[in-house]
């Protein structure tokens, strides 16, 4: 259980306390992940099934690694042949899998709402690994964890100091790109304000959803204005199918208006502003290589923290006993 | 060993006693599967290779889950590029895999006879996970296990009573659909009569193989007649490539003649008759959704029992020591 | 560490002593592999990632089996979508994976040099599982191991005698086929002379690289001359895309000039000459079936030794403690 929840479908559902429960547990999990011997018997005898209807080696591997470090059995079930219109088939697949007695079903699907539909049909726990343009809750949590680490380092704490989740208050995080179609953005928007941060969104007008101010976001159409005084900038991945939009005729134009390179970073960002990206990066589009690999980038921290956060999620939902990690 | 057998190629080869050996062991295995911690060290140090030449996430996952619960290592080897005509390549692949020292090779192949060919070429145990239109022995065993559970419940035993495998005597099981091309039907026909049940088959005349009476089956061409007084109905999955047969111009026509819906079930079936389906269901074709998800359906029991039966098969063939489950 | 090396990119980099370090450890590993319970806790808590940009169930399964026997966690990451031109993407993928804290990254890539590029970018150990036409070092080591076993048996030692790696001195090994494009040949050429063997290469003139004599190889254009007095013949797999070369109009012609059948083997080979092939065999092209399956063939030994050699490689690089196998 994460607080009152048996499933993790979206961060919209979680309270500040529930979000902090996961993040705090992830601190211990990251310590396990960084040991020379990365193995604890905590979830031995538990089973995690990765049910991916969209290709994603990255997120699937992260959940699989998290499961294995906790000694759970991990089973991968990938299916290309499922469409948005086959709601019943999705539920049939999930109920069949459930009959094999997994403890957690991790599901990625192109259709928004698919994980909730499955959660309503099965007795085991369901974790969304991203559904359509809805949410990607484990990404939102790993982003928050990474930001807390950065804010802690920036506050002058030593390099080994644990992340201080109280440091979001008064911080400004900017999300840049195709916010409309981004489940990463949506999970960030449901998470960061609960932790105390201000969120600005910025991108081509056609890619900023109407009414997003209701989620507490400030909207900008100038990147320079958006990042002014910001503590962190989260660059979204632009999908190739969006290129060709009247406002974004090509990737060069996107990069010119919405990308970050070393010059813009030096001119526009405060010295302590860090840069996140959910990956995989379109190098030279959202970020120039020198920025992606530069000192402001916490992108690889995000990947590592992803495993730690997913260990915490699996631990809480698979009903591990005492936190014997 | 299953009785005298090092391999499990088909239920035609097994005696009544050998079938019962697997089913009885599966009772303990199901108890393990239903524990909160689903893990026993029984097959630690043993290796199971899934060698699938036909796509089947369902059956492959069931064997993989069974192996992992018993602490065996499971390796998946999928190959789309093998055709019926490359007999030598199949044996080469199997002998190569065998050189990596698996204890059990689970093989699915589109060609009838492929598992036997492999069994004759390797030193390890071979389990057929379905070959062409020949047999699907683990499916036949899980169907029998599920029927025994149903008959036990129907006899008034408590919900926790173990399945009584003596209850097949005098029972009638009807297999409906494309019997000719069904390895599920063939394994059922080789298994159920040995346990004491009568078997009827029913379907379009072009889909009932000539001479099937020799296997002890009664042939019907009217679904209503076939299911009269039956204790269980096993609906086969219709393959889309069979639609277009002069007798089955479309799925609606198939459904009208050979499908079950709530009305037919209420009018034609005895109150205690259960419904099986090997999955995946073509909803609205073989079964209407209300029947597939209704109280007569034991379809998800079949999936769960599949893991238990495969645990028993792997245990017997991989040479587990004392039954320390 | 293998000697001074944190990575295994190619046998060109290894000294005679470093090669022998792996081969000698593989003797104990093969003993583990042949136990009824093939499992040691040596690498428990260590993680091996298989990052394969070319399809190869065979080599991938061998590394996966090796990892599991040593109790390491194994994760498979396959990617078809990566091209030679996307050097940055490859490094991004590897650095992302590295952030998940694997101990060893096993990489196969169509581009020569890809594993070295990755090794320069990550902190974990990198093992090449074959890169373009460059090297396939674990194959070169398993070939050497298999040859040593054969030479030991041929020397009159008992069937249980461990391989004597001192027996390469004075032996002649012939590599036959498309040497130019073969990473197997290249690793053999970098390994066998260091162990004391003489190497001859033989094939169509267009498939023998210019200057190969500098690696110490003797070049032959007549198969009969090449194998005269040889102690072992290593037949390379001919790639179908090479057929059509002016010198090799079809597979029959290839087989006539460069293949081995029972008659040629009987007429041309010394009684103790063994035959190797990296697999998969094009039966009837490089080798006739009777030779591939005959008494001279050590092809399945190669497969089994491949697991043992890879166990040794993973053990040395993943930093196992005392050799408690």
């Amino acid at each position: 259980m994460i607080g009152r929840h048996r499933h993790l479908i979206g961060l919209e559902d979680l309270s500040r306390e529930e979000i902090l429960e996961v993040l705090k547990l992830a601190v211990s999990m990251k310590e396990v992940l960084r040991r020379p011997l990365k193995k604890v018997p905590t979830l031995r005898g538990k089973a995690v099934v990765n049910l991916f209807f969209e290709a994603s080696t990255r997120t699937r591997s992260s959940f699989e690694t998290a499961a294995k470090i906790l000694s759970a059995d991990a089973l991968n079930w990938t299916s290309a042949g499922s469409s948005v219109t086959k709601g019943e088939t999705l539920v049939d697949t999930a109920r069949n899998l459930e009959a094999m007695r997994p403890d957690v079903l991790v599901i990625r699907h192109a259709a928004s709402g698919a994980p909730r539909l499955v959660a309503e049909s099965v007795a085991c726990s369901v974790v969304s690994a991203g559904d359509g343009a809805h949410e990607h809750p484990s990404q939102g949590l790993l982003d928050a964890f990474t930001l807390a680490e950065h804010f802690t380092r920036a506050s002058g704490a030593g390099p080994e100091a644990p992340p201080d989740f109280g440091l979001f208050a008064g911080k400004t995080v900017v999300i840049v790109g195709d916010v409309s179609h981004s489940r990463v953005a949506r999970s960030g928007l449901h998470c960061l304000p609960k932790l105390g941060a201000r969120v600005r969104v910025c991108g081509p007008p056609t890619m900023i959803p109407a009414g997003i101010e209701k989620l507490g976001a400030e909207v900008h159409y100038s990147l320079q204005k958006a990042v002014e005084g910001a503590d962190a900038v989260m660059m979204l991945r632009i999908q190739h199918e969006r290129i060709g939009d009247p406002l974004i005729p090509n990737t060069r134009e996107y990069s010119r208006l919405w990308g970050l390179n070393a010059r813009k970073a030096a001119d526009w960002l405060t010295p302590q502003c860090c840069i996140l990206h959910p990956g995989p990066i379109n190098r030279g589009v959202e970020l120039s290589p020198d920025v992606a690999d530069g000192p402001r980038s916490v992108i690889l921290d995000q990947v590592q923290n992803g495993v730690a956060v997913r260990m915490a999620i699996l631990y809480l939902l698979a009903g591990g006993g005492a936190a014997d990690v």
Side-chain angles (χ1 to χ4, degrees), chain A residues 56 87 175 217 226 228 256 267:
Chain A
S56 163
I175 303 178
E228 198 178 300
R256 190 178 69 80
D267 290 353

Side-chain angles (χ1 to χ4, degrees), chain A residues 9-170:
Chain A
I9 306 300
L11 299 186
E12 185 174 8
D13 306 332
L14 298 198
S15 67
R16 170 189 169 84
E17 288 65 38
E18 289 163 338
I19 288 169
L20 287 173
E21 182 186 13
V22 181
L23 295 179
K24 285 174 180 171
L25 182 56
V27 176
S28 332
M29 293 301 179
K30 185 165 180 178
E31 186 268 317
V32 171
L33 175 62
R34 296 187 62 85
R35 290 182 193 164
L37 298 185
K38 303 166 293 295
K39 195 86 173 180
V40 287
T42 320
L43 293 186
R44 190 173 148 79
K46 301 289 184 175
V48 175
V49 172
N50 290 314
L51 177 56
F52 275 55
F53 291 92
E54 283 188 343
S56 163
T57 317
R58 185 177 300 251
T59 303
R60 194 264 299 153
S61 295
S62 184
F63 273 107
E64 187 179 346
T65 298
K68 287 178 170 171
I69 292 175
L70 295 171
S71 299
D73 285 324
L75 191 100
N76 293 315
W77 179 302
T78 37
S79 168
S82 182
S83 81
V84 180
T85 56
K86 291 184 182 167
E88 266 193 339
T89 296
L90 166 67
V91 169
D92 266 352
T93 300
R95 295 186 70 200
N96 265 277
L97 269 173
E98 189 211 1
M100 298 188 199
R101 304 260 308 138
D103 297 277
V104 183
L105 212 51
V106 178
I107 177 169
R108 166 164 291 193
H109 202 284
S112 297
R116 190 173 307 276
L117 184 67
V118 168
E120 287 164 1
S121 315
V122 298
C124 65
S125 289
V126 172
V127 174
S128 168
D131 59 324
H134 174 230
E135 279 222 40
H136 189 352
S138 61
Q139 179 77 39
L141 292 166
L142 75 88
D143 288 341
F145 190 97
T146 306
L147 286 168
E149 280 190 335
H150 173 74
F151 296 152
T152 305
R153 279 194 302 266
S155 75
E160 297 301 316
D164 178 347
F165 300 110
L167 292 176
F168 286 93

Side-chain angles (χ1 to χ4, degrees), chain A residues 79-260:
Chain A
S79 168
S82 182
S83 81
V84 180
T85 56
K86 291 184 182 167
E88 266 193 339
T89 296
L90 166 67
V91 169
D92 266 352
T93 300
R95 295 186 70 200
N96 265 277
L97 269 173
E98 189 211 1
M100 298 188 199
R101 304 260 308 138
D103 297 277
V104 183
L105 212 51
V106 178
I107 177 169
R108 166 164 291 193
H109 202 284
S112 297
R116 190 173 307 276
L117 184 67
V118 168
E120 287 164 1
S121 315
V122 298
C124 65
S125 289
V126 172
V127 174
S128 168
D131 59 324
H134 174 230
E135 279 222 40
H136 189 352
S138 61
Q139 179 77 39
L141 292 166
L142 75 88
D143 288 341
F145 190 97
T146 306
L147 286 168
E149 280 190 335
H150 173 74
F151 296 152
T152 305
R153 279 194 302 266
S155 75
E160 297 301 316
D164 178 347
F165 300 110
L167 292 176
F168 286 93
K171 294 294 193 302
T172 298
V173 180
V174 191
I175 303 178
V176 180
D178 182 3
V179 176
S180 280
H181 298 92
S182 173
R183 50 199 182 201
V184 175
R186 193 142 291 131
S187 285
L189 284 160
H190 283 302
C191 177
L192 297 171
K194 288 177 187 161
L195 295 171
R198 272 190 303 270
V199 179
R200 298 178 192 156
V201 298
C202 176
T206 47
M207 296 186 178
I208 302 295
I212 195 167
E213 297 85 350
K214 289 180 199 141
L215 290 176
E218 220 177 81
V219 177
H220 288 259
Y221 299 110
S222 149
L223 181 59
Q224 184 176 1
K225 284 277 174 86
V227 301
E228 198 178 300
D231 299 283
V233 180
M234 191 181 298
M235 307 298 288
L236 300 176
R237 176 176 168 82
I238 183 74
Q239 304 296 321
H240 289 295
E241 58 268 31
R242 307 290 170 213
I243 301 295
D245 180 288
L247 293 181
I248 309 179
N250 52 51
T251 54
R252 178 177 310 201
E253 192 64 10
Y254 185 89
S255 173
R256 190 178 69 80
L257 288 168
W258 313 106
L260 273 180

Side-chain angles (χ1 to χ4, degrees), chain A residues 25 42 315 320-325:
Chain A
L25 182 56
T42 320
Y315 176 85
D324 52 352
V325 296

